[in-house]
Amino acid sequence: MRLAIFDLDGTLVDRTGAFADAITSLSHDHGYGPEIEQWLLTELADHAERGDFDRLRAAFPVSESAEHLWRVYIDRMAASMHCRPAVLNSLERLKEAGWSIGVATNGASDIQRAKINATGLSDLIDGIAASGDIDIRKPDPRLFELAAARCGTQLTRGDWMTGDNPETDIVGGHDAGLRTIWVTGRPWPAGLVTPHHTVGDVVEAIGYLLDQDSA
């Protein structure tokens, strides 16, 4: 069985749009003004964890507990997150072709799994490794190894990593011994190892993987 590992945010799902909706909803429901809302949009733009809400309470006179706000944020993100039907259909085709599908993602375990469950991806993914599981972040090869282990296998030559981040996904995948597919969208830094293949969309990446079966 061949293994395909995917990044989550920015690859399988669009975090950016869901994030803005989640912050707007959380701020509105708690009566927060534009200053707090902008702080959240700025400070949580790249990733979010429970400790961010401790920082919020230190910066503003917020009465709600950090734990409460974290749980609300997770709920709002899950409610706002969507996975395009074309992505789900392509992953289903990949599974039907005999591939094992893993996810290696940086982020807190509870929120990353909430996204996966809310989008229907959980029915198609064989194993998930979130950095919050073991306090190790991509590009550390151990996170890719954990994703493989949770798929019931181990990394082998011919396995693939697909993601949008040049440093964490492509360099990290390469260092873990994986072939890599870069989903374009952000600038490519000079001097990095070249991905094996480049696509404009994850659906195209999955199509490329399916073509490998007949190559």
Side-chain angles (χ1 to χ4, degrees):
M1 180 175 289
R2 305 182 76 175
L3 174 65
I5 301 176
F6 294 87
D7 169 55
L8 181 62
D9 295 318
T11 301
L12 293 177
V13 298
D14 175 17
R15 178 185 184 270
T16 303
F19 168 69
D21 290 343
I23 294 300
T24 297
S25 175
L26 183 151
S27 299
H28 179 270
D29 290 351
H30 291 82
Y32 296 158
E35 189 177 6
I36 292 180
E37 182 172 352
Q38 187 56 53
W39 188 95
L40 290 168
L41 287 170
T42 300
E43 296 296 321
L44 279 63
D46 293 329
H47 70 276
E49 55 190 31
R50 185 198 174 283
D52 292 322
F53 292 97
D54 289 315
R55 295 194 299 112
L56 174 68
R57 297 184 79 251
F60 298 97
V62 173
S63 59
E64 293 83 9
S65 70
E67 181 63 29
H68 165 79
L69 291 171
W70 175 239
R71 300 314 309 177
V72 171
Y73 175 74
I74 290 174
D75 290 343
R76 297 295 190 275
M77 280 294 285
S80 301
M81 189 71 66
H82 302 283
C83 183
R84 290 181 293 128
V87 176
L88 296 172
N89 292 339
S90 295
L91 289 173
E92 186 172 2
R93 289 176 56 212
L94 197 62
K95 283 190 71 70
E96 290 172 351
W99 287 71
S100 183
I101 299 173
V103 165
T105 175
N106 286 343
S109 302
D110 45 4
I111 193 166
Q112 298 304 80
R113 284 177 168 78
K115 294 174 188 175
I116 288 170
N117 290 332
T119 54
L121 286 166
S122 57
D123 296 330
L124 300 168
I125 293 171
D126 299 297
I128 305 161
S131 63
D133 293 340
I134 52 176
D135 199 26
I136 290 173
R137 296 177 62 84
K138 295 180 295 183
D140 192 314
R142 288 175 291 178
L143 197 66
F144 303 97
E145 293 168 358
L146 178 61
R150 291 195 168 159
C151 290
T153 185
Q154 58 185 0
L155 299 182
T156 60
R157 299 180 70 88
D159 292 339
W160 290 84
M161 172 63 197
T162 299
D164 69 310
N165 190 298
E167 292 93 345
T168 60
D169 297 324
I170 305 307
V171 173
H174 176 271
D175 290 348
L178 296 164
R179 299 180 185 181
T180 57
I181 302 176
W182 179 44
V183 180
T184 61
R186 63 178 77 195
W188 184 266
L192 295 188
V193 61
T194 303
H196 290 82
H197 191 61
T198 299
V199 297
D201 181 83
V202 69
V203 173
E204 186 182 346
I206 297 170
Y208 179 81
L209 291 175
L210 289 167
D211 289 343
Q212 303 310 298
D213 288 329
S214 56

